[in-house]
Amino acid sequence: KLDANLSGFEAFCSALCSSQVASLSMGRCHLGLQAVIVLVGALRTAPVAVSLNIDSNAIFGRLGNLWQRGEADKYAAQCEPLYDVLKASRISALSVSNTGMGPVACVGVASSLPTELNSLNIGLKNEIGLDGGAALQAALETSSIKSIGIGKKYTTATGQHLTVSSMQPGVSLACSG
């Protein structure tokens, strides 16, 4: 079960508070929402801005596999504490590909981007939809992001594509289809 006993993980995260770690990859570590809240919370007081990869963890929803479809946003209603610590964290690059993110979680993340964030990877397997794409586009107006990866092309309700030209000047956009 995810997040069943976080004591060892909490000790690890506590050590991060005073470390000089600049890049941390926790992808495919079977982290749940509570573990990620502890991890991101620890990065609020990190002495250096950190590049964080938390890909392929069931943070915002249930992940799918060959036999079962995932459930995007299944845990989105419980993510408010994550958004709070995310906004105050010292994260410079964040990758959340394949984390069960749907439109609700994407709106929450977009409204909670850390001030030092310059790169965001949403990835191909998250289903952020129109609302999530629009929230990301709006967040770019006030953020320091220079690179964003959304995996797919998204079209707004008015039929416009989320494209490089719809981004702020100086922001690069990567999408796969």
Side-chain angles (χ1 to χ4, degrees):
K1 181 176 185 237
L2 294 178
D3 299 338
N5 180 352
L6 293 176
S7 58
F9 189 72
E10 288 170 341
F12 167 76
C13 290
S14 179
L16 287 174
C17 295
S18 59
S19 77
Q20 294 293 317
V21 171
S23 181
L24 185 59
S25 181
M26 299 298 289
R28 296 185 187 272
C29 287
H30 302 284
L31 302 178
L33 176 60
Q34 294 309 311
V36 172
I37 290 170
V38 171
L39 175 62
V40 173
L43 298 177
R44 287 186 296 190
T45 58
V48 295
V50 177
S51 172
L52 179 62
N53 173 333
I54 49 176
D55 294 347
S56 300
N57 288 295
I59 301 164
F60 304 106
R62 193 171 54 77
L63 304 180
N65 56 39
L66 292 174
W67 304 275
Q68 194 172 13
R69 185 177 166 94
E71 288 180 63
D73 281 341
K74 181 175 179 155
Y75 315 124
Q78 303 154 0
C79 289
E80 200 61 43
L82 174 59
Y83 305 143
D84 292 342
V85 294
L86 179 62
K87 190 172 215 146
S89 70
R90 298 210 55 213
I91 296 175
S92 60
L94 178 62
S95 186
V96 290
S97 180
N98 192 27
T99 53
M101 181 183 287
V104 174
C106 188
V107 169
V109 168
S111 66
S112 306
L113 298 176
T115 57
E116 295 183 61
L117 190 70
N118 58 44
S119 177
L120 176 63
N121 179 36
I122 299 295
L124 185 61
K125 291 189 177 183
N126 288 322
E127 297 292 333
I128 65 171
L130 301 177
D131 292 341
L136 287 173
Q137 189 172 2
L140 290 174
E141 294 176 13
T142 58
S143 78
S144 59
I145 292 179
K146 296 296 176 213
S147 174
I148 187 167
I150 58 171
K152 300 178 184 179
K153 278 187 184 169
Y154 288 96
T155 307
T156 66
T158 60
Q160 295 177 306
H161 291 289
L162 187 59
T163 63
V164 173
S165 62
S166 67
M167 299 286 122
Q168 294 296 101
V171 174
S172 67
L173 171 68
C175 49
S176 304

